[in-house]
Amino acid sequence: MDELDWIRVIDHSQYLCRSWQKLYFPARVCRYIRIVGTHNTVNKIFHIVAFECMFTNKTFTLEKGLIVPTENVATISDCASVIEGVSRSRNALLNGDTKNYDWDSGYTCHQLGSGAIMVQLAQPYMIGSIRLLLWDCDDRSYSYYVEVSTNQQQWTMVADRTKVSCKSWQSVTFERQPATFIRIVGTHNTANEVFHCVHFECPEQQSGQKEENGEDPGTGDTSLAGPRSPMADKVGRQQS
């Protein structure tokens, strides 16, 4: 209120953040708002393009100062981004399309034994679940593991399915923890040497789709199915 006594309402100094930040804290009366940058991965300057402040009646939950989201925050509109992985379309993994994919497009992939598929959220969230759609236009199965991080340096494994044959929709739940980066690493594919993922969401959204571990067929467009492998098998090898 007086530029002398300051109350810290947000502390993201230990997290890597990008683009739009949606920040919530308990309502309080204020006149001045001070934003202090503490790190930039490129240079020594902190940049802000736009700033808004408001009061909201929207219900939100905070845990350790971070939002516990109920809606999918791994979306293009929420400024999430795929920062590792091969795809014909940069953010095909996050565009929400779980119907229009085939042998040549609509998925993101990486070569087994090299690289990963990595998603960066715009800001840290308290996350306890994710959901994946593995490419399922034929009868192949995959194995994989999932890790989360807030800084790309220290990683915590939240799912280990390296010894499980997995197909189609995958539901992953784990102890809620801060996360900005989610890394999906494929370890096996019964058809070839590439791991393919069609859709990613975080946290998991309620859906009629159930997890598949070698049971029922998925939802892919099988009209183009044939004896060859997906185009990204070739792309993945070139990228690796």
Side-chain angles (χ1 to χ4, degrees), residues 122-187:
Q123 65 190 72
Y125 293 96
M126 291 296 292
I127 298 298
S129 68
I130 64 174
R131 194 165 69 124
L132 314 173
L133 174 56
L134 304 179
W135 193 90
D136 57 0
C137 291
D138 62 15
D139 196 42
R140 73 185 62 192
S141 62
Y142 298 91
S143 300
Y144 64 94
Y145 64 89
V146 181
E147 299 176 310
V148 299
S149 174
T150 58
N151 56 17
Q152 287 187 283
Q153 302 298 318
Q154 288 80 37
W155 292 90
T156 301
M157 184 181 293
V158 294
D160 183 355
R161 297 186 178 176
T162 56
K163 297 181 180 180
V164 181
S165 295
C166 304
K167 293 183 179 183
S168 199
W169 286 102
Q170 300 291 300
S171 174
V172 178
T173 57
F174 47 91
E175 183 178 353
R176 201 154 56 200
Q177 57 195 281
T180 309
F181 301 91
I182 300 97
R183 183 165 66 185
I184 308 161
V185 183
T187 59

Side-chain angles (χ1 to χ4, degrees), residues 66-131:
L66 302 180
I67 298 172
V68 180
T70 56
E71 298 179 351
N72 181 20
V73 293
T75 65
I76 298 170
S77 60
D78 280 308
C79 302
S81 179
V82 179
I83 60 176
E84 187 175 348
V86 178
S87 177
R88 290 184 180 275
S89 175
R90 179 184 175 189
N91 286 314
L93 192 67
L94 309 178
N95 64 10
D97 188 350
T98 60
K99 300 294 184 183
N100 300 303
Y101 59 96
D102 52 39
W103 291 83
D104 293 320
S105 62
Y107 53 82
T108 302
C109 63
H110 80 86
Q111 187 80 20
L112 297 182
S114 175
I117 297 174
M118 191 184 307
V119 175
Q120 180 181 1
L121 305 178
Q123 65 190 72
Y125 293 96
M126 291 296 292
I127 298 298
S129 68
I130 64 174
R131 194 165 69 124

Side-chain angles (χ1 to χ4, degrees), residues 45-62:
I45 302 175
F46 182 74
H47 308 85
I48 294 180
V49 175
F51 173 79
E52 302 172 354
C53 63
M54 61 204 76
F55 175 84
T56 179
N57 286 316
K58 179 180 179 180
T59 301
F60 59 89
T61 302
L62 296 177

Side-chain angles (χ1 to χ4, degrees), residues 183-213:
R183 183 165 66 185
I184 308 161
V185 183
T187 59
H188 184 66
N189 178 347
T190 55
N192 53 53
E193 296 300 314
V194 181
F195 180 80
H196 310 86
C197 190
V198 173
H199 173 75
F200 173 87
E201 65 188 34
C202 174
E204 177 182 19
Q205 301 299 288
Q206 296 297 321
S207 172
Q209 296 288 353
K210 68 175 182 178
E211 179 180 351
E212 300 291 345
N213 286 315

